[in-house]
Amino acid sequence: MKPLSRTRERGWGEGKLSAVALITHRTPFHEKAQTSTTLAQHPAAESHSRNPNTTQRSSSCHRHAVDATPACDYGVGVPISVPAMLRSLALAGVCVMLAGFALSSPVPPLSLSERLAAPGGTSPLVPTERIDALLAQLPHQQGSVAGSDGVRLHWIAFDPGNYQLDYRYLGKGKHFPEFSMDASAPAPSAIAPRGTVILLHGWMMDGGSLLPWALELAQNGYRTIALDLRNHGRSGHAPSGYGTREGEDVVAALQTLKAEGQISGPVHLLGVSYGAATAIFAARELGPQLRSVVAMESFDNAGQAIRTMVPHMLSRPPERLSDYVALPLARWQYGGSGLDDAIAATDHKLGIDLDRVDVGQALAQVPACVLLVHGRDDAHIPVAQGRALAAAAPHARYLEVAGEDHLTLPMRLDRLSNVVNHWFAESGDNNHCPAVPAGAV
């Protein structure tokens, strides 16, 4: 069995914007499809092996560049010797060359506001071909339904059964979290599902990225349906809503899936990061139609989440040569009021106010049982946002997991599967919400 290594600027939860992706596209990671049912390891697309103490040269060797160094030899009003001038010209040539590397992407650079308005495709860290190869060996159903404004939403479903899931979390690894996974087709069964769990993925991911959770819950008797949110995977394109419009999509999809006989028993939602916020907005609209929710590492407020996440991503050390140009440019462009300007531009593009996308307010209006789960070491969506959500809705249960961050938390089936299965099984239709046992993880 070969391990599938996944990273998260992301994990499964969120295909976060990389530092370079704030101004340029990443080169997609292409993999050769395999026919076995094992998801195998793929190369890491993100390496943090560069020395963070390495001196960063000015991105353009312009005297007003925020990261300009004496090496650029600006010497205004100071005579320059011929050797010094030659060194300056050579350094300028290097700067131009590096800028060319950074800006020579085969696709046009994207501004941060464009990245925030739409994901621009599935993360190259989702091994789509290998997931498809595994799916080809497992019985499942798939199709598409219309969202709230007609956008097509792709879905994939698994019936209950023993898929002989062999999932192993392998640790954080040298640079990123890793796991291995294997599964096989179950024997036919006529057992009725205990309920239906709708799985909602993170930004730049897709429904297939939650395959481990889909099979884990199916093995525990649930029918699972993973949706590709709008602008993700095989679904259509429409304005993003940071959970608001996506939540309306979930409501519309559930209505159609129920009419088509795809829903069996009580309905539960499991969402990760962007998908967790979506689950909470959907739960508010679904009301008593929904039995329970598990929301992993949701943000509390969309605008605040962006203001926290972008500086965190830009604080990382360079990963490749072009980063020595791209990172200083991005830090200069989105430092100070630049980030607020990008958020305002995104507001205009989407027709919403991201600072008013209030997940906590929506959570307070959800009648179903809600379990909030957050990693204590999360730096993308800091744990303070998880605690704020819990404070906004005292009826919700809150589980803070020590030692886990935004990348690792959704991958920890070994720590969380018993908790999630217990939550779905014990949540009652009379708003009886189970307690989370001390030391549950």
Side-chain angles (χ1 to χ4, degrees):
M1 179 186 307
K2 299 179 181 179
L4 165 65
S5 301
R6 291 209 188 177
T7 155
R8 289 259 214 277
E9 283 162 331
R10 310 128 172 97
W12 298 321
E14 197 83 33
K16 294 294 182 186
L17 301 174
S18 72
V20 179
L22 293 175
I23 55 175
T24 60
H25 278 294
R26 298 183 79 103
T27 301
F29 176 76
H30 298 288
E31 296 193 29
K32 191 174 183 179
Q34 66 177 35
T35 57
S36 73
T37 61
T38 300
L39 295 184
Q41 184 169 0
H42 63 80
E46 303 170 331
S47 170
H48 304 290
S49 60
R50 297 252 184 203
N51 183 351
N53 298 317
T54 300
T55 300
Q56 297 180 350
R57 300 298 183 192
S58 172
S59 54
S60 62
C61 279
H62 190 280
R63 73 177 64 186
H64 300 302
V66 295
D67 58 336
T69 69
C72 283
D73 207 358
Y74 299 127
V76 178
V78 178
I80 302 177
S81 65
V82 173
M85 182 177 295
L86 291 176
R87 287 195 298 271
S88 297
L89 290 173
L91 181 57
V94 171
C95 290
V96 171
M97 180 182 68
L98 290 177
F101 288 158
L103 302 177
S104 62
S105 172
V107 289
L110 293 179
S111 70
L112 176 57
S113 63
E114 289 172 314
R115 282 287 186 180
L116 294 175
T122 302
S123 166
L125 298 172
V126 179
T128 303
E129 292 181 352
R130 291 179 178 175
I131 288 175
D132 289 345
L134 178 56
L135 290 176
Q137 305 298 320
L138 300 175
H140 64 277
Q141 303 87 45
Q142 60 182 323
S144 66
V145 294
S148 59
D149 52 6
V151 61
R152 301 306 298 178
L153 305 173
H154 181 263
W155 59 268
I156 183 167
F158 292 91
D159 285 322
N162 181 12
Y163 290 86
Q164 300 181 56
L165 177 63
D166 183 3
Y167 177 90
R168 301 180 188 182
Y169 177 72
L170 303 177
K172 293 186 177 181
K174 187 175 181 180
H175 303 296
F176 50 88
E178 300 176 350
F179 69 91
S180 66
M181 178 181 173
D182 198 6
S184 58
S189 174
I191 299 176
R194 301 168 65 181
T196 301
V197 180
I198 308 297
L199 302 165
L200 305 170
H201 60 82
W203 185 261
M204 285 187 72
M205 309 303 282
D206 60 20
S209 68
L210 292 176
L211 182 60
W213 277 108
L215 296 180
E216 166 66 23
L217 292 167
Q219 286 199 154
N220 280 273
Y222 295 96
R223 177 171 170 77
T224 62
I225 302 178
L227 285 177
D228 287 352
L229 301 179
R230 59 171 60 196
N231 303 313
H232 291 80
R234 300 179 184 177
S235 290
H237 297 279
S240 301
Y242 277 75
T244 56
R245 292 164 177 154
E246 292 82 356
E248 294 172 354
D249 287 342
V250 172
V251 175
L254 270 174
Q255 292 175 345
T256 302
L257 290 170
K258 187 175 291 186
E260 294 177 353
Q262 299 291 345
I263 305 297
S264 181
V267 178
H268 309 267
L269 301 180
L270 186 153
V272 175
S273 194
Y274 193 90
T278 297
I280 291 170
F281 281 110
R284 180 182 65 179
E285 302 305 317
L286 288 168
Q289 302 176 59
L290 189 68
R291 178 68 60 87
S292 73
V293 179
V294 173
M296 296 186 188
E297 55 195 23
S298 174
F299 55 83
D300 175 42
N301 176 278
Q304 184 58 39
I306 294 168
R307 290 183 178 89
T308 301
M309 181 268 293
V310 172
H312 168 69
M313 299 307 302
L314 291 180
S315 68
R316 294 187 170 190
E319 300 172 4
R320 55 185 183 178
L321 186 62
S322 61
D323 291 5
Y324 286 89
V325 174
L327 276 170
L329 281 173
R331 289 169 184 152
W332 172 77
Q333 185 172 2
Y334 301 118
S337 63
L339 182 53
D340 287 332
D341 293 342
I343 293 173
T346 305
D347 291 346
H348 179 73
K349 292 176 189 293
L350 298 180
I352 60 175
D353 184 346
L354 290 171
D355 285 319
R356 300 185 68 178
V357 176
D358 193 331
V359 184
Q361 184 181 61
L363 177 62
Q365 302 172 41
V366 174
C369 296
V370 179
L371 173 62
L372 303 169
V373 186
H374 218 102
R376 189 170 297 165
D377 298 339
D378 196 333
H380 292 85
I381 306 295
V383 70
Q385 294 212 25
R387 294 170 182 171
L389 280 176
H395 68 280
R397 304 289 191 263
Y398 178 65
L399 178 63
E400 196 168 288
V401 186
E404 304 301 340
D405 57 33
H406 205 76
L407 315 188
T408 64
L409 183 72
M411 304 174 72
R412 296 309 301 267
L413 274 69
D414 56 322
R415 299 186 73 180
L416 296 176
S417 61
N418 287 340
V419 174
V420 171
N421 279 299
H422 173 77
W423 182 259
F424 288 155
E426 298 300 321
S427 295
D429 57 4
N430 56 355
N431 291 331
H432 167 72
C433 303
V436 180
V441 294

